[in-house]
Amino acid sequence: DAGITQSPRHKVTETGTPVTLRCHQTENHRYMYWYRQDPGHGLRLIHYSYGVKDTDKGEVSDGYSVSRSKTEDFLLTLESATSSQTSVYFCAIRGQGLSTDTQYFGPGTRLTVL
Amino acid sequence: EDKVVQSPLSLVVHEGDTVTLNCSYEVTNFRSLLWYKQEKKAPTFLFMLTSSGIEKKSGRLSSILDKKELFSILNITATQTGDSAIYLCAVEGASGTYKYIFGTGTRLKVLA
């Protein structure tokens, strides 16, 4: 447990509605990440952040935006949800491992877009 | 383009068997390789490897990295039903942005 929480844990929404997922960490880590996980694709990076107000795109960023106004919170927004965005979303941080930095995951959010 | 390939995609064994999972990679400016275990929830960290030829070990699990041939293996000896999970490999490139590229995983099922 690296002090990462995600909310909500489950959400069902309609196509075309905006959705915001929240990732919260308590240990002041600089790097935070949003991934989606789909069968056959593994974990794919959506966006990541390397500091407050510093964010960049990952490999599957279309249809998603992020914001990081405080170190502890990293928000993922689906501007207009589509059925292809039905997925499990994981937040991660790059934290201090036993000898050097490694990546730890939050519990995940299961999103269903009808 | 950076990529990570895991094999096999899935594997079914019986308790007590030994399994070897493979991860090969092509990543610019390799920094580290990570192994995770994922049951029906978030991935949990197993090992991080940065140097060739140095085995990391935790109980019945062990892993080693070959930076010349660009691959890693994860061994599980005396498998148990509790080892049933998806095993994920991820590689970190040192481009200054600390991004991780994941393979699609190996699904392991251990039968009693």
Side-chain angles (χ1 to χ4, degrees):
Chain A
D1 183 335
I4 309 168
T5 57
Q6 292 184 230
S7 59
R9 296 292 313 280
H10 301 271
K11 185 168 182 71
V12 180
T13 191
E14 303 271 330
T15 297
T17 59
V19 176
T20 295
L21 309 183
R22 180 182 183 234
C23 177
H24 179 78
Q25 54 124 340
T26 59
E27 298 181 8
N28 208 36
H29 297 293
R30 180 180 173 192
Y31 293 89
M32 298 183 75
Y33 307 80
W34 276 108
Y35 292 91
R36 61 178 288 174
Q37 187 174 34
D38 306 287
H41 290 280
L43 282 155
R44 293 181 291 174
L45 182 65
I46 305 171
H47 282 278
Y48 65 101
S49 170
Y50 46 97
V52 173
K53 294 192 166 74
D54 291 323
T55 65
D56 205 351
K57 296 179 180 180
E59 61 181 307
V60 290
S61 59
D62 286 348
Y64 301 94
S65 62
V66 289
S67 66
R68 193 164 178 205
S69 58
K70 299 185 288 186
T71 299
E72 58 266 35
D73 288 323
F74 191 31
L75 304 181
L76 176 72
T77 298
L78 288 65
E79 290 135 14
S80 176
T82 68
S83 57
S84 65
Q85 293 176 311
T86 292
S87 188
V88 180
Y89 291 85
F90 287 104
C91 175
I93 58 91
R94 186 172 185 271
Q96 201 69 33
L98 289 177
S99 58
T100 185
D101 293 339
T102 188
Q103 194 172 55
Y104 297 92
F105 287 86
T109 294
R110 184 173 295 275
L111 176 68
T112 302
V113 184
L114 301 175
Chain B
E1 183 182 328
D2 294 343
K3 64 180 179 181
V4 176
V5 178
Q6 292 187 245
S7 62
L9 291 181
S10 65
L11 193 55
V12 179
V13 301
H14 289 91
E15 272 193 319
D17 288 348
T18 293
V19 298
T20 298
L21 310 183
N22 303 290
C23 176
S24 64
Y25 63 90
E26 293 176 29
V27 172
T28 305
N29 298 324
F30 172 91
R31 180 181 171 94
S32 65
L33 185 144
L34 292 78
W35 283 99
Y36 291 87
K37 178 182 182 182
Q38 185 177 26
E39 296 169 272
K40 293 181 182 179
K41 47 190 166 90
T44 54
F45 173 74
L46 293 174
F47 298 113
M48 183 171 72
L49 301 142
T50 57
S51 301
S52 268
I54 297 175
E55 186 182 50
K56 293 281 184 88
K57 199 168 170 64
S58 176
R60 296 176 295 102
L61 278 67
S62 64
S63 183
I64 198 160
L65 174 68
D66 186 328
K67 288 170 75 173
K68 183 179 175 187
E69 300 297 330
L70 308 183
F71 77 93
S72 174
I73 59 172
L74 175 67
N75 278 321
I76 309 175
T77 59
T79 52
Q80 303 171 356
T81 55
D83 295 326
S84 296
I86 296 172
Y87 290 85
L88 296 165
C89 172
V91 176
E92 180 186 11
S95 62
T97 54
Y98 301 114
K99 289 198 290 187
Y100 299 80
I101 299 162
F102 280 80
T104 54
T106 293
R107 183 180 294 273
L108 173 66
K109 187 173 176 101
V110 182
L111 303 175

